[in-house]
């Protein structure tokens, strides 16, 4: 599969939304249309902390959202991969690996010392790829809801 990459200026909201809803799965029912539009607008603007890249074959087949942020362990910002999605028809064809590498290259360009991401404990398919690309941090993530 020939894959190219673009920033969000090349993808329209309806096309992105289909992929986003597939990515968010059952969680999508808890998210408002306002939030979907806000997320898309932030990434498309390209001047927010939340950035993105789209993978294309003959059509968009995946995306990655990432952000740069300060770290108490580095003088340079680190990079966190927030969301990584590949449509079902393009999985196991190198798209996820390529998206991670694009983000890693962008992180290296601004001297980010690390690219971090997390995945669900149950996402063993993704973990088989991630274990080949990076090392597990050894940290467990906790979440305490504080309201909005």
């Amino acid at each position: 599969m020939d894959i190219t990459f673009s920033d969000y200026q090349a993808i329209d909201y309806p096309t992105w939304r289909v992929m986003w809803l597939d990515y968010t799965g059952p969680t999508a029912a808890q998210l408002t249309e306002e939030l979907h539009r806000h997320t898309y607008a932030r990434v498309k603007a390209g001047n927010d902390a939340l950035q993105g890249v789209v993978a294309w074959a003959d059509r968009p087949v995946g995306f990655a959202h990432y952000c740069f942020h300060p770290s108490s362990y580095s003088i340079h910002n680190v990079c966190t991969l927030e969301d990584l999605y590949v449509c079902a028809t393009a999985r196991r064809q190198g798209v996820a690996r390529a998206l991670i590498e694009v983000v890693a290259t962008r992180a290296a360009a601004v001297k980010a010392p690390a690219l971090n991401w997390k995945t669900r404990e149950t996402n063993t398919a993704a973990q088989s790829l991630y274990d080949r690309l990076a090392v597990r941090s050894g940290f467990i993530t906790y979440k305490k809801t504080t309201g909005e």
Side-chain angles (χ1 to χ4, degrees), residues 16 24 38 49 61-62 79 84 96 113 128 138:
W16 173 83
T24 55
H38 179 72
V61 294
C79 186
L84 179 66
S128 67

Side-chain angles (χ1 to χ4, degrees), residues 66-69 77-81 103-104 106-107 112-117:
Y66 58 96
C67 60
F68 294 100
H69 55 90
N77 285 344
V78 297
C79 186
T80 296
L81 181 61
V103 175
R106 291 179 180 187
L115 170 59
N116 301 300
W117 67 92

Side-chain angles (χ1 to χ4, degrees), residues 116-131:
N116 301 300
W117 67 92
K118 59 188 175 186
T119 191
R120 294 192 184 281
E121 292 175 348
T122 57
N123 193 351
T124 56
Q127 289 172 39
S128 67
L129 169 63
Y130 301 161
D131 287 343

Side-chain angles (χ1 to χ4, degrees), residues 1-8 10-11 15-16 19 52-65 84-87 90 93-100 102-103 106:
M1 172 180 287
D2 289 330
I3 306 165
T4 59
F5 302 93
S6 74
D7 290 320
Y8 267 61
I11 188 169
T15 303
W16 173 83
M19 293 192 302
V53 60
V54 180
W56 297 77
D58 57 336
R59 61 183 175 76
V61 294
F63 62 78
H65 297 155
L84 179 66
Y85 170 78
V86 176
C87 69
Q93 297 183 51
V95 179
R97 174 188 295 267
L99 281 163
I100 291 169
V102 167
V103 175
R106 291 179 180 187

Side-chain angles (χ1 to χ4, degrees), residues 29-42:
Q30 301 167 7
L31 306 175
T32 65
E33 181 62 23
E34 177 186 23
L35 179 64
H36 301 318
R37 288 186 180 281
H38 179 72
T39 298
Y40 172 78
R42 286 178 66 191

